[in-house]
Amino acid sequence: MKKIHLFVVMLFLSTAAFLTSCQKDEVLNPEPTINFKGGSTYTSSDVTIKAGEAITVGVNAAQNADTKSKLKTFTVVLTQNNTPVTLINNTLDENQEAVYSQDFEITFPNVGEVSLVARITDADGKYAEVSFKVTVEQAGVAVKKKTNVEFGSFNDAIGSFYATTNETVYTISGAANNQALVDIIFFKGATNGNTLAAPDDTDAATIDEFNLDTWTTKKKTRFIKVSMTAAQFDAIGSVYSFPEFTEASALSKANQLAAGNVIYFKTEAGKRGYAKVIDLYLKGDKAKFDFIVEQ
């Protein structure tokens, strides 16, 4: 009996082993694969950009090597302020069921932190995803605004010379002692009318009372009349994206000014700014301006 019992046990074990070997091995990781493309032309990890800028993202995906389950859908979801938005939702065709690749460009107009998640899903409902964060900062540069800057004539107590760095109006004597600071001169002439000029402007030099012929430092500020309205000027906040300053279109003065005009200027130091005409008084060579200048 003992030998028979042993034989039965051995037969049972061999049968169990045979049945086990016939079963399909379970795949521990049945998901498809997905990765961001690398290289200098792609963004594939956390990044900080300016509002309005775009990034290029590329993905490579493949079906699971063991299950061979066909790739079915590809999605890209952007989440900002806990609000998800589906940017891409593609159903893949038969040519993309094994391997899938795509590039796409995204522009981010709004300031804040955005999560980007790319997901590939197969026919079995298994999926894989990759992600990174985009921090979107305010575009432009910090600017400062000085309002109601008054200018006078050469014989007024109010000065005719302006320094954008310290936002100070100087009289003739004060300007002569601060030549390295003065960027802008105001004058009213028979030919030029109400004018903003650079210290190196030839017409400004004809005003004998300014004594510019004695100056050893004359800043080369340049001016362009632009179509910006007074309302657009007023809408500029603490950060602003200045347009390109076209040197070829710039002059050493902006003349024949009228109330509401906006003048785009660039100082010798490279700081860009706007001057808006607030008031050109009917009596006397006086004027009032608002200034916005790059910090």
Side-chain angles (χ1 to χ4, degrees), residues 158-228:
I158 304 172
S160 304
F161 304 83
Y162 188 63
T164 59
T165 52
N166 61 9
E167 300 176 318
T168 299
V169 177
Y170 291 101
T171 59
I172 292 174
S173 60
N177 292 326
N178 292 278
Q179 298 171 27
L181 295 177
V182 175
D183 300 302
I184 295 172
I185 301 173
F186 169 77
F187 68 85
K188 184 174 182 178
T191 301
N192 289 291
N194 292 285
T195 303
L196 291 181
D200 73 331
D201 178 65
T202 55
D203 286 346
T206 64
I207 303 173
D208 294 336
E209 292 81 2
F210 283 170
N211 298 320
L212 291 174
D213 60 332
T214 67
W215 284 30
T216 57
T217 301
K218 299 178 183 180
K219 293 295 189 67
K220 298 177 177 63
T221 304
R222 294 297 178 257
F223 304 87
I224 302 172
K225 282 186 177 180
V226 291
S227 59
M228 177 183 287

Side-chain angles (χ1 to χ4, degrees), residues 141-163:
V141 296
V143 298
K144 56 184 179 180
K145 182 180 287 189
K146 183 72 172 179
T147 60
N148 298 319
V149 177
E150 287 195 303
F151 293 97
S153 181
F154 68 90
N155 56 358
D156 286 322
I158 304 172
S160 304
F161 304 83
Y162 188 63

Side-chain angles (χ1 to χ4, degrees), residues 9-262:
V9 171
M10 293 300 293
L11 180 62
F12 174 78
L13 291 175
S14 62
T15 302
F18 174 78
L19 292 174
T20 301
S21 65
C22 290
Q23 293 179 355
K24 184 178 180 181
D25 293 337
E26 181 180 357
V27 178
L28 296 179
N29 297 295
E31 300 84 8
T33 59
I34 185 171
N35 294 287
F36 287 123
K37 295 180 183 179
S40 60
T41 60
Y42 296 104
T43 299
S44 58
S45 59
D46 293 355
V47 65
T48 299
I49 63 173
K50 299 293 185 182
E53 290 184 355
I55 62 172
T56 298
V57 182
V59 295
N60 289 319
Q63 65 182 184
N64 187 279
D66 294 319
T67 67
K68 303 297 183 182
S69 181
K70 296 178 180 179
L71 303 179
K72 287 300 181 182
T73 61
F74 171 72
T75 61
V76 175
V77 176
L78 303 181
T79 301
Q80 184 173 20
N81 297 325
N82 296 318
T83 302
V85 175
T86 300
L87 183 67
I88 298 175
N89 188 4
N90 290 344
T91 299
L92 309 188
D93 58 37
E94 61 182 8
N95 295 323
Q96 301 168 318
E97 290 177 341
V99 176
Y100 178 72
S101 180
Q102 182 173 341
D103 295 349
F104 47 94
E105 185 177 270
I106 310 173
T107 301
F108 295 84
N110 301 318
V111 173
E113 187 175 88
V114 182
S115 173
L116 182 153
V117 179
R119 174 184 289 193
I120 194 76
T121 304
D122 65 19
D124 294 332
K126 303 297 184 181
Y127 67 88
E129 59 186 27
V130 286
S131 66
F132 61 80
K133 292 181 180 179
V134 181
T135 301
V136 186
E137 298 179 338
Q138 179 66 53
V141 296
V143 298
K144 56 184 179 180
K145 182 180 287 189
K146 183 72 172 179
T147 60
N148 298 319
V149 177
E150 287 195 303
F151 293 97
S153 181
F154 68 90
N155 56 358
D156 286 322
I158 304 172
S160 304
F161 304 83
Y162 188 63
T164 59
T165 52
N166 61 9
E167 300 176 318
T168 299
V169 177
Y170 291 101
T171 59
I172 292 174
S173 60
N177 292 326
N178 292 278
Q179 298 171 27
L181 295 177
V182 175
D183 300 302
I184 295 172
I185 301 173
F186 169 77
F187 68 85
K188 184 174 182 178
T191 301
N192 289 291
N194 292 285
T195 303
L196 291 181
D200 73 331
D201 178 65
T202 55
D203 286 346
T206 64
I207 303 173
D208 294 336
E209 292 81 2
F210 283 170
N211 298 320
L212 291 174
D213 60 332
T214 67
W215 284 30
T216 57
T217 301
K218 299 178 183 180
K219 293 295 189 67
K220 298 177 177 63
T221 304
R222 294 297 178 257
F223 304 87
I224 302 172
K225 282 186 177 180
V226 291
S227 59
M228 177 183 287
T229 66
Q232 290 171 327
F233 176 99
D234 294 338
I236 295 174
S238 60
V239 177
Y240 180 72
S241 293
F242 285 97
E244 180 184 359
F245 190 89
T246 307
E247 301 284 352
S249 302
L251 301 172
S252 61
K253 71 171 87 43
N255 57 10
Q256 304 297 339
L257 299 179
N261 285 169
V262 177

